[in-house]
């Protein structure tokens, strides 16, 4: 059988051991290549590879579908209402002084959550408030910021021409913040005010609030 595979053996000539080894190597290489080609060309062995590709495609499709679903839910989800009501706050101004009412408080913004009533700011929510009082005056005066009768004022300034004070105080339902002015040797109506401002900001939005 080997004689038919090698030219020297086919002619009946004597061969050396090296020629015999060369023949065996040729048979082994040719047989191995043919076997490998037959294995790769066998339809039954290609099926697992095609199945893996199909599974990978399905997984990628599911991943893309999940991503699209997340994006749609994120952008089209209804807005969740806030858990707490808007923070109680106000920025009131005072630019003129009346002989009977003192400094007249006004609230330029209609969107303020706190309002000016009867020249005072009523408190409807219990809690701590950040309070700021500013202003420059053309005449010397005494100024007090009150919130409840028979209680010490939040600010009590004597004979000043300006005020720039800030504090934190606890205020309760039914308190009213208002200014008390005392002039010296002049009429209140003659006092000019520059930058008069009273700010209140509630610090406990989850506290008790009266309707």
């Amino acid at each position: 059988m080997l004689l038919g595979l090698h030219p020297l053996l086919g002619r009946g000539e004597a061969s050396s051991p090296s020629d015999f080894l060369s023949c065996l190597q040729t048979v082994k290489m040719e047989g191995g290549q043919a076997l490998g080609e037959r294995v790769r060309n066998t339809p039954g062995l290609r099926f697992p590879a095609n199945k893996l590709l199909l599974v990978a495609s399905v997984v990628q499709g599911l991943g893309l579908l999940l991503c699209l679903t997340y994006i749609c839910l994120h952008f089209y989800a209804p807005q969740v209402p806030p858990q707490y009501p808007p923070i109680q706050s106000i920025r009131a101004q005072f630019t003129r002084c009346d002989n009977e009412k003192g400094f007249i408080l006004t609230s330029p913004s209609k969107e303020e959550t706190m309002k000016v009533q009867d020249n005072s700011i009523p408190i409807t929510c219990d809690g701590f408030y950040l309070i700021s009082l500013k202003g420059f005056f053309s005449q010397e005066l005494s100024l007090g910021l009150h919130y409840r009768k028979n209680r010490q004022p939040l600010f009590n300034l004597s004979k000043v021409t300006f005020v720039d004070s800030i504090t934190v105080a606890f205020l309760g339902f039914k308190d009213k913040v208002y200014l008390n002015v005392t002039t010296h040797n002049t009429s209140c109506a003659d006092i000019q005010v520059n930058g008069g401002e009273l700010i209140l900001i509630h610090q406990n939005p989850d506290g008790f609030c009266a309707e």
Side-chain angles (χ1 to χ4, degrees):
M1 183 176 181
L2 293 176
L3 294 176
L5 296 175
H6 198 276
L8 295 177
L9 298 178
R11 292 194 301 268
E13 298 177 0
S15 60
S16 63
S18 60
D19 294 333
F20 182 77
L21 292 176
S22 177
C23 178
L24 290 178
Q25 292 176 356
T26 302
V27 173
K28 183 177 180 181
M29 291 177 63
E30 292 177 355
Q33 291 176 352
L35 180 60
E37 291 176 358
R38 288 195 300 271
V39 170
R40 285 194 298 268
N41 294 329
T42 303
L45 293 179
R46 290 202 307 269
F47 177 74
N50 294 335
K51 186 176 182 180
L52 290 176
L53 291 176
L54 178 61
V55 172
S57 300
V58 172
V59 171
Q60 290 178 353
L62 291 176
L64 180 59
L65 179 61
L66 291 175
C67 291
L68 293 175
T69 303
Y70 173 80
I71 293 173
C72 293
L73 292 177
H74 179 74
F75 283 101
Y76 294 100
Q79 296 295 328
V80 179
Q83 296 181 353
Y84 302 111
I87 295 177
Q88 295 287 302
S89 65
I90 188 172
R91 174 176 289 182
Q93 296 179 351
F94 53 97
T95 58
R96 65 185 184 91
C97 188
D98 184 82
N99 289 331
E100 295 182 0
K101 297 182 179 180
F103 285 122
I104 305 301
L105 293 174
T106 59
S107 179
S109 176
K110 296 181 179 180
E111 297 180 356
E112 301 282 5
T113 54
M114 301 176 69
K115 305 299 180 181
V116 175
Q117 296 179 2
D118 297 329
N119 206 36
S120 63
I121 301 174
I123 303 300
T124 58
C125 295
D126 295 344
F128 288 95
Y129 285 79
L130 178 68
I131 304 170
S132 173
L133 181 63
K134 297 180 180 181
F136 296 87
F137 317 112
S138 60
Q139 303 290 335
E140 190 177 75
L141 54 80
S142 296
L143 183 64
L145 183 64
H146 300 260
Y147 70 100
R148 191 183 304 175
K149 291 183 178 180
N150 303 322
R151 291 294 181 94
Q152 292 293 326
L154 299 170
F155 296 119
N156 192 14
L157 307 171
S158 179
K159 295 183 178 181
V160 296
T161 56
F162 74 94
V163 58
D164 187 3
S165 303
I166 187 170
T167 188
V168 174
F170 185 88
L171 304 177
F173 173 57
K174 292 187 177 182
D175 285 339
K176 292 183 178 181
V177 178
Y178 61 95
L179 291 169
N180 186 19
V181 183
T182 302
T183 60
H184 305 278
N185 301 323
T186 186
S187 172
C188 189
D190 295 333
I191 296 178
Q192 298 179 358
V193 185
N194 185 17
E197 184 179 70
L198 174 60
I199 298 176
L200 277 76
I201 303 176
H202 192 208
Q203 303 298 300
N204 307 99
D206 56 342
F208 169 78
C209 291
E211 296 182 358

